[in-house]
Amino acid sequence: MRAHFVSVLGLAMLCLLQAQAEVPIQPGFQQDQFVGNWYGIGFASNSRWFKEKKSVMKMCTTVVTPMEDGNLEVASTYPKLDQCETRKTIFVRTAEPGRFTYTSTRTGSQHDVRVVETNYSEYALVHVKKTREAESFTMVTLYGRSKELRPELLQKFTQLALAEGLTEENILILPKTDRCMVETV
């Protein structure tokens, strides 16, 4: 009986891991339409730093710029204490359009980035699996071309975060701010 329980539990864990590993990518992803200016509207994560910083996080701007080699430069500007901070990363394209990788120069963590869904003109849902040493974290971000999005899109973001194993406590609709809004957005 115990052996049966252990094997059923093991099978359930394997299925859970496979379900989490199969994050979809926007069918027919068009990178040239994804570039440009975005607002960070919602953020969800089960990482320790998110839990620590969640209470002070605000809406940010993100500018996605194509590079000559086909990769994307992603520059996010957000309020931090009394100033604005810009963090740039290079999303390295993979063989799958809409899927990228990058390695953090600060922490060495590996990031698997997937554009899950976008209509390019209004919103984008992006999933990131961050791995550092033996730990992994999930992040889901809702971007908008404007500071306001339809309630259905906020709900779609929440549903994706929950489907990826995040809890309500891991989900934040970022408070609006006029601070650090890059003028090009």
Side-chain angles (χ1 to χ4, degrees):
M1 178 71 167
R2 183 176 180 176
H4 178 70
F5 175 76
V6 171
S7 63
V8 169
L9 180 61
L11 182 60
M13 293 298 288
L14 181 62
C15 289
L16 179 62
L17 290 172
Q18 284 181 328
Q20 289 179 339
E22 294 303 319
V23 177
I25 299 171
Q26 169 76 29
F29 179 76
Q30 300 295 313
Q31 184 166 303
D32 60 325
Q33 293 181 50
F34 185 72
V35 299
N37 305 318
W38 295 94
Y39 290 98
I41 305 292
F43 191 80
S45 179
N46 59 356
S47 69
R48 185 176 57 250
W49 72 263
F50 176 67
K51 292 172 189 170
E52 294 169 358
K53 304 292 184 192
K54 181 179 174 183
S55 65
V56 297
M57 291 178 71
K58 303 272 188 258
M59 183 179 283
C60 70
T61 57
T62 297
V63 179
V64 180
T65 307
M67 300 176 67
E68 286 184 23
D69 59 6
N71 297 328
L72 297 175
E73 179 185 74
V74 180
S76 295
T77 302
Y78 53 91
K80 185 175 182 182
L81 302 174
D82 293 337
Q83 54 190 353
C84 298
E85 184 167 315
T86 299
R87 187 161 292 160
K88 291 183 180 181
T89 54
I90 304 298
F91 282 14
V92 178
R93 68 181 177 165
T94 67
E96 292 179 84
R99 185 175 185 184
F100 305 88
T101 63
Y102 77 90
T103 301
S104 170
T105 55
R106 291 183 321 119
T107 66
S109 58
Q110 303 290 316
H111 298 76
D112 176 28
V113 181
R114 296 167 187 236
V115 179
V116 175
E117 185 176 314
T118 183
N119 66 2
Y120 305 103
S121 61
E122 184 181 19
Y123 77 99
L125 286 166
V126 177
H127 177 279
V128 177
K129 180 62 83 177
K130 175 182 172 180
T131 306
R132 182 173 173 213
E133 297 169 2
E135 293 183 295
S136 68
F137 303 99
T138 299
M139 295 179 276
V140 176
T141 306
L142 172 62
Y143 291 102
R145 294 288 189 184
S146 66
K147 290 182 182 181
E148 296 282 337
L149 289 180
R150 295 179 282 124
E152 308 88 82
L153 297 175
L154 300 178
Q155 184 61 34
K156 191 176 278 203
F157 159 70
T158 299
Q159 289 172 344
L160 175 62
L162 293 172
E164 289 304 311
L166 300 174
T167 65
E168 292 284 345
E169 294 79 38
N170 299 141
I171 300 170
L172 176 65
I173 301 300
L174 295 161
K176 293 180 185 72
T177 183
D178 290 327
R179 288 191 56 229
C180 305
M181 296 288 109
V182 177
E183 292 185 19
T184 60
V185 174

